[in-house]
Each structure stands twice: as structure tokens, then as C-alpha cells.
């Protein structure tokens, strides 16, 4: 979203909220038309209808015009292009006649609804029937594949009774899907090989196996730390549309969907917490080993520091030589060909 488009969206919404007196029917109609057309406003439509200034205007409007206005706005809140076409066929005055820009926007929002129903098909029997296992499949518990043919029907791209074909319908469908992704209302990709749109999970965990060495762990010959740590990333991918509480059935469906989403989030959070605890435990174990190793070094220094002696620190690649009880010491590599002597002043020098 660009800064200018974000600013224009905020300005438009502010016009509803800053109005302290009832809007005139003409002003309300004009503002709502702009709201439904704006390319960056995809939810919050029901909130606009519930504003006191809007409610006051609606109460004084002709009932037929009021119903048409409310129905049109609610289509963008939680409806689909399919429902719009059904309303127009049943009663042309029951809903506004949408512009091309508004139709494109409603199609995009319809893609979100189809994807969300596919994700939550266990909550709605109708959704299971619409997107059956033959048409939509959840892949690896993290993505949903929706065939182009199903989407084209839902978005009213293919006429009723007309099968989907690449020549007549592919370009229009993919244009809508690309616009959905570029507008950040859905995260997915076009799978042209299988003619399907793959939607990433709306609450998913992306797992990446991190080698033990990435945590600074030293490998042991006994394989004690030859393990991997799972890194989890929680991300969202579906736009949250307005909640439909117009009927008892729709309210029940929304509540079930929210419960399911919260349960998924809780499960994902628990997995992430478990992963972080594993990483913390491994780090603590490595630190404990380091402390033990250097305690041994200090002990050895205390035991051997009084007389000339030579020993190799655990894990070291060189010998440490103590000459009597004096401070200077020499460091000799394993081959014995190079000795580095440090003077009493702490200056390091080389001797070959």
C-alpha cells in the first residue's frame, strides 16, 4: 500500500467519523459509493453502517432505498459476487448496480470468502459440499489448493452450465488472483501446472531445520549433540472480512470459525513456545559444558603453576609451558616448530 493511497483511505473513512450531524441521503450515497470503489478498503463496512450519523440518515430514508443501500454495503462486508448476481436476477432494485471497479473489488473479496470456507469446511456442511475432496485439498496442513474451475464458477467468470476453458476464462481469472495477492488480501500462488490457486494457511507454521552448529554447539564423537532445532514462524495470509451476524445461522458459523481460528493459533503458539524452550535448553547445556571445561583449566593452572610443567588445555591446539613459578610462559604448537613467548609486561613476541 502506497502512502498516498493509505492517506486517501484514512481521509475517506474520517469523513464518516467526523460528521457530528446526520448526513444527507445524497452525501451518504456519494460517500458509500467512494467507499465501495476504493481499492485499499476491504473491510470495516459494517462499522460504517453502525455509526450514529449514518444510522440517523438511514432512519429518515425511503425504506426501499434504505434496504438497497444496506444490502449493497453488506455484500462488500461479507457477501460474494455470486450473491450479488442472484440478487440482481431476483430483484434488480434490491441492490445497487455496481460499477466495473466495484465488481472487480467484490470478486477479490469473494476469493477470500472461498478460501476461508475451504479452510474452515469442517465448520460448514455446505462448504464441504461445495469444495469437496475432489476439488480442493489441504496440502501438508499448511496450504489449500482450489481448482481454477471452482474459482471461475464462484466468481461468475464462467456462465452457468459452461465448463471452464483456458482460452475464454484463464486470463480473466488469473488477473483477479494476481490482484488479490498484490493487494495483500490473500497470500498464495498460481499453480498453472495443476490449474489451481494455492492459498497458504491463515495460521501456519513454517518449519526450518537448523543444524546444531548454528547455535555454536561443538559436535561430540559420541553424538550427544548431533541434533537439529526446529525454527517456527507464524504468519497470516487471509484478509479478515467483516463478521456476519445478520442471522442466527450466520452468527453461529462466525463463532465456530473464530473458535477454530483461536484453537489453531493456540496450537501454533504452543509449538513455537516448545521450540524456543528446546533452543534455550540446548544453549544452557552448551554454556554448562563451557563453564565446566574452563573450571578444569583453572584447576590445572592452580595445580601446576608452582613448578615448570607443560599441559594441553581441553579442546586446545597448543601446549602451555610454565617455567618455574615465574609469570612468563611459552605457547608451543603441536609440531613444536613455533614458540611464542610473552614477556612479563604482557607483550606478545615471536621466537623461531
Amino acid at each position: 500500500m502506497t502512502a498516498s493511497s493509505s492517506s486517501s483511505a484514512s481521509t475517506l473513512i474520517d469523513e464518516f467519523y467526523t460528521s457530528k450531524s446526520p448526513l444527507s441521503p445524497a452525501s451518504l450515497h456519494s460517500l458509500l459509493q467512494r467507499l465501495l470503489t476504493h481499492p485499499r478498503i476491504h473491510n470495516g463496512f459494517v462499522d460504517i453502517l453502525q455509526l450514529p450519523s449514518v444510522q440517523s440518515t438511514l432512519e429518515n430514508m425511503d425504506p426501499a432505498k434504505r434496504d438497497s443501500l444496506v444490502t449493497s454495503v453488506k455484500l462488500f462486508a461479507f457477501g460474494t459476487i455470486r450473491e450479488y448476481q442472484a440478487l440482481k436476477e431476483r430483484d434488480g432494485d434490491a441492490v445497487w448496480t455496481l460499477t466495473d471497479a466495484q465488481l472487480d473489488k467484490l470478486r477479490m473479496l469473494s476469493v477470500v470468502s472461498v478460501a476461508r470456507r475451504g479452510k474452515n469446511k469442517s465448520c460448514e456442511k455446505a462448504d464441504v459440499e461445495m469444495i469437496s475432496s475432489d476439488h480442493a485439498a489441504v496440502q501438508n496442513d499448511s496450504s489449500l489448493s482450489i481448482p481454477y474451475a471452482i474459482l471461475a464458477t464462484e466468481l461468475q467468470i464462467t456462465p452457468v452450465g459452461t465448463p471452464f476453458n483456458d482460452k475464454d476464462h484463464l486470463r480473466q481469472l488469473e488477473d483477479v488472483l494476481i490482484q488479490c495477492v498484490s493487494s495483500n488480501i490473500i497470500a498464495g500462488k498460481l499453480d498453472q501446472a495443476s490449474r489451481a490457486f494455492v492459498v497458504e494457511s491463515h495460521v501456519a507454521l513454517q518449519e526450518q531445520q537448523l543444524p546444531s552448529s548454528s547455535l555454536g554447539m561443538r559436535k561430540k564423537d559420541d553424538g550427544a549433540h548431533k541434533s537439529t532445532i526446529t525454527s517456527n514462524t507464524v504468519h497470516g495470509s487471509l484478509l479478515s472480512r467483516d463478521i456476519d451476524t445478520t442471522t442466527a445461522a450466520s452468527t453461529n458459523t462466525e463463532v465456530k470459525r473464530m473458535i477454530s481460528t483461536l484453537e489453531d493459533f493456540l496450537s501454533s503458539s504452543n509449538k513455537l513456545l516448545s521450540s524456543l524452550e528446546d533452543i534455550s535448553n540446548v544453549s544452557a547445556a552448551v554454556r554448562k559444558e563451557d563453564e565446566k571445561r574452563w573450571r578444569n583449566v583453572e584447576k590445572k593452572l592452580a595445580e601446576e603453576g608452582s613448578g615448570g610443567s607443560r599441559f594441553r588445555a581441553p579442546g586446545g591446539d597448543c601446549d602451555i609451558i610454565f617455567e618455574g613459578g615465574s609469570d612468563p610462559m611459552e605457547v608451543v604448537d603441536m609440531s613444536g616448530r613455533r614458540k611464542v613467548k610473552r614477556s612479563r609486561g604482557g607483550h606478545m613476541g615471536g621466537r623461531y
Side-chain angles (χ1 to χ4, degrees):
M1 180 184 296
T2 63
S4 59
S5 61
S6 176
S7 176
S8 65
S10 298
T11 301
L12 175 58
I13 294 175
D14 286 343
E15 292 189 43
F16 287 97
Y17 282 90
T18 56
S19 178
K20 297 181 180 180
S21 58
L23 297 165
S24 67
S27 297
L28 179 59
H29 184 277
S30 176
L31 285 173
L32 289 176
Q33 284 286 358
R34 290 167 55 196
L35 185 74
L36 302 186
T37 304
H38 200 288
R40 296 296 184 180
I41 300 177
H42 300 113
N43 50 22
F45 303 103
V46 171
D47 294 336
I48 296 295
L49 289 179
Q50 294 175 347
L51 291 174
S53 59
V54 175
Q55 285 291 315
S56 298
T57 305
L58 293 176
E59 290 174 359
N60 297 320
M61 287 180 61
D62 176 75
K65 292 183 177 180
R66 180 180 61 241
D67 292 344
S68 176
L69 182 152
V70 172
T71 300
S72 300
V73 174
K74 286 185 175 180
L75 274 175
F76 284 80
F78 38 73
T80 65
I81 188 73
R82 195 173 190 175
E83 294 171 357
Y84 167 74
Q85 296 291 359
L87 285 170
K88 289 300 274 184
E89 291 175 3
R90 185 167 62 248
D91 182 2
D93 295 329
V95 64
W96 289 347
T97 299
L98 302 182
T99 65
D100 290 342
Q102 291 169 347
L103 287 172
D104 289 342
K105 181 175 177 177
L106 186 55
R107 281 195 177 92
M108 291 167 57
L109 295 173
S110 299
V111 173
V112 175
S113 291
V114 173
R116 191 171 70 177
R117 289 200 299 263
K119 293 288 186 184
N120 299 280
K121 56 185 178 181
S122 61
C123 297
E124 299 182 30
K125 183 177 183 296
D127 293 333
V128 176
E129 294 172 350
M130 182 191 71
I131 306 179
S132 64
S133 58
D134 296 332
H135 298 301
V138 177
Q139 302 175 340
N140 301 324
D141 296 326
S142 63
S143 62
L144 174 73
S145 179
I146 308 177
Y148 281 176
I150 298 295
L151 281 170
T153 300
E154 290 297 312
L155 303 183
Q156 300 290 284
I157 292 176
T158 55
V160 178
T162 303
F164 177 83
N165 67 81
D166 291 355
K167 180 180 179 181
D168 298 328
H169 311 124
L170 180 62
R171 179 61 181 273
Q172 183 182 358
L173 175 61
E174 289 192 337
D175 284 348
V176 174
L177 297 176
I178 291 172
Q179 185 62 31
C180 288
V181 175
S182 63
S183 298
N184 295 321
I185 67 171
I186 193 168
K189 59 184 179 180
L190 308 180
D191 187 350
Q192 295 180 330
S194 62
R195 289 294 186 269
F197 183 63
V198 180
V199 184
E200 295 299 325
S201 177
H202 60 292
V203 179
L205 285 179
Q206 291 181 330
E207 298 187 354
Q208 179 183 7
Q209 296 299 322
L210 302 178
S212 300
S213 58
S214 67
L215 297 175
M217 297 171 57
R218 295 175 175 83
K219 293 183 178 180
K220 297 284 188 179
D221 292 337
D222 60 5
H225 291 299
K226 292 181 179 178
S227 62
T228 58
I229 301 299
T230 300
S231 173
N232 299 306
T233 303
V234 180
H235 67 94
S237 70
L238 285 178
L239 170 79
S240 177
R241 299 196 68 185
D242 292 355
I243 298 176
D244 182 6
T245 58
T246 53
T247 64
S250 64
T251 301
N252 185 52
T253 297
E254 292 286 2
V255 170
K256 288 182 178 179
R257 181 186 62 80
M258 288 188 286
I259 291 174
S260 176
T261 300
L262 290 173
E263 288 176 343
D264 288 344
F265 180 75
L266 176 61
S267 175
S268 300
S269 299
N270 287 336
K271 290 179 181 179
L272 180 59
L273 178 61
S274 177
S275 175
L276 293 174
E277 289 175 346
D278 290 342
I279 294 175
S280 177
N281 292 336
V282 170
S283 299
V286 172
R287 181 177 179 180
K288 186 175 181 180
E289 287 186 4
D290 286 341
E291 292 175 349
K292 180 179 179 180
R293 179 169 60 253
W294 290 112
R295 279 198 301 269
N296 291 337
V297 171
E298 292 174 352
K299 181 179 179 181
K300 193 69 174 179
L301 287 171
E303 292 175 351
E304 305 294 346
S306 59
S309 61
R310 173 186 303 213
F311 77 96
R312 177 168 298 162
D317 294 331
C318 61
D319 291 338
I320 300 177
I321 302 174
F322 292 91
E323 298 177 347
S326 60
D327 178 67
M329 67 179 180
E330 294 177 335
V331 180
V332 185
D333 67 10
M334 296 179 66
S335 64
R337 292 176 298 179
R338 179 174 182 270
K339 295 188 293 182
V340 179
K341 185 176 181 179
R342 189 184 72 184
S343 69
R344 291 183 182 274
H347 176 72
M348 297 297 294
R351 186 174 68 192
Y352 300 89

